[in-house]
Amino acid sequence: MNIDIRESGGGIGQAVDFSLNPGETAHFLHPEQIITYRGPSDGRSDRLMNMKGMYRKKKLIQADFCGPCEFTAALPSGFAVKTVELREGSDLLYDFRNIFFYSSGIEMQSRILHIKNMLITKDAIKMKFSGAGTVGLLTEGAVYEAELHPSEPLYVDARSLFAYPENAKLELTVYGNTLASQHMNYHWKMTGVGTVLFHAGPTGSRLREEMDQDNLFKRILREIIPFGGVIIK
């Protein structure tokens, strides 16, 4: 499967071109975003999702494309696609709502999270892919990767964590001196082996709010009062 991401240049959306070779298959969980198609009329086959998929994505239909064919998906402003190449042995966990497509040769399995993880992520289940192929993820903001270390922790803002290895050890915490720990958001302290994905979108809302609306006095109070960022809106 060949994928070409076209940027609009004006920040109003993104188009993604797909090309499937003969015998290749791709499964799309947001088929309404497909806006052009070239290929045999029977190259697309829509079907009902299973009950788990219906519940997680609040949708009924997914589309399966079989090559040879070409088609284009359109994404609205603020959304982008991050492609991840999976290899045998990969154990990354994803939020089902962020999955845009996956190629043939990949299987999904559900994983129930620990209670503390549910409370922070507001999600009870993550999806794990097995096999080799390509997965497309819908993101809000740029997505970056960082390598985990077995003993040296990586701290990731809980709002920004996008995907992480199933083997990773997670501990909800804050870090830094007293002032730092009082006003920062909770972070995941992570150790293990593999790659973590995190995105930049959610953490920018407070900065935008401060730049647009807050006066200096309110910003100072947020920083010096214990848990001021929570108390002072």
Side-chain angles (χ1 to χ4, degrees):
M1 178 168 58
N2 297 315
I3 304 172
D4 181 29
I5 299 176
R6 290 189 280 172
E7 301 291 347
S8 67
I12 58 175
Q14 184 183 82
V16 186
D17 299 321
F18 298 87
S19 177
L20 300 182
N21 297 318
E24 290 184 324
T25 303
H27 312 281
F28 281 75
L29 306 188
H30 293 271
E32 70 279 2
Q33 301 306 131
I34 306 299
I35 58 172
T36 69
Y37 172 83
R38 176 181 286 117
S41 60
D42 61 354
R44 171 174 172 168
S45 177
D46 288 15
R47 60 187 174 90
L48 289 173
M49 287 186 180
N50 57 31
M51 291 303 298
K52 179 169 57 179
M54 293 180 188
Y55 173 75
R56 300 301 301 161
K57 297 196 77 73
K58 306 297 188 293
K59 293 179 179 294
L60 298 178
I61 303 295
Q62 77 172 55
D64 300 332
F65 289 87
C66 184
C69 64
E70 299 175 354
F71 50 94
T72 299
L75 301 178
S77 176
F79 286 87
V81 172
K82 166 71 174 180
T83 59
V84 178
E85 296 297 326
L86 295 185
R87 296 176 177 82
E88 293 290 347
S90 173
D91 65 344
L92 280 178
L93 300 180
Y94 304 88
D95 188 328
F96 192 64
R97 290 168 294 188
N98 293 119
I99 301 170
F100 187 29
F101 68 87
Y102 60 98
S103 63
S104 57
I106 291 179
E107 295 183 356
M108 288 191 294
Q109 300 172 317
S110 60
R111 291 290 188 269
I112 299 177
L113 302 181
H114 296 296
I115 296 296
K116 68 174 184 179
N117 296 23
M118 293 182 190
L119 295 176
I120 298 301
T121 63
K122 297 181 176 60
D123 201 359
I125 297 174
K126 293 289 186 183
M127 303 306 298
K128 176 185 176 181
F129 289 106
S130 60
T134 304
V135 175
L137 305 172
L138 286 175
T139 72
E140 294 183 78
V143 173
Y144 303 95
E145 301 182 11
E147 288 290 329
L148 288 179
H149 189 277
S151 58
E152 297 178 3
L154 173 69
Y155 295 88
V156 181
D157 190 304
R159 299 166 299 180
S160 298
L161 186 60
F162 195 77
Y164 58 92
E166 186 178 23
N167 74 79
K169 180 181 179 182
L170 282 73
E171 178 184 345
L172 196 62
T173 186
V174 291
Y175 65 93
N177 63 8
T178 302
L179 183 59
S181 62
Q182 285 175 345
H183 77 264
M184 72 168 52
N185 189 55
Y186 279 113
H187 283 60
W188 289 115
K189 178 182 178 182
M190 308 181 69
T191 54
V193 178
T195 301
V196 172
L197 302 182
F198 58 93
H199 56 107
T203 59
S205 58
R206 180 180 174 185
L207 175 62
R208 186 179 300 109
E209 179 182 319
E210 291 178 349
M211 296 297 290
D212 292 343
Q213 300 177 0
D214 286 358
N215 58 42
L216 178 61
F217 179 68
K218 185 182 289 187
R219 288 162 58 187
I220 291 174
L221 289 180
R222 276 205 183 109
E223 302 302 325
I224 65 175
I225 295 177
F227 304 104
V230 176
I231 299 172
I232 301 175
K233 301 298 183 182

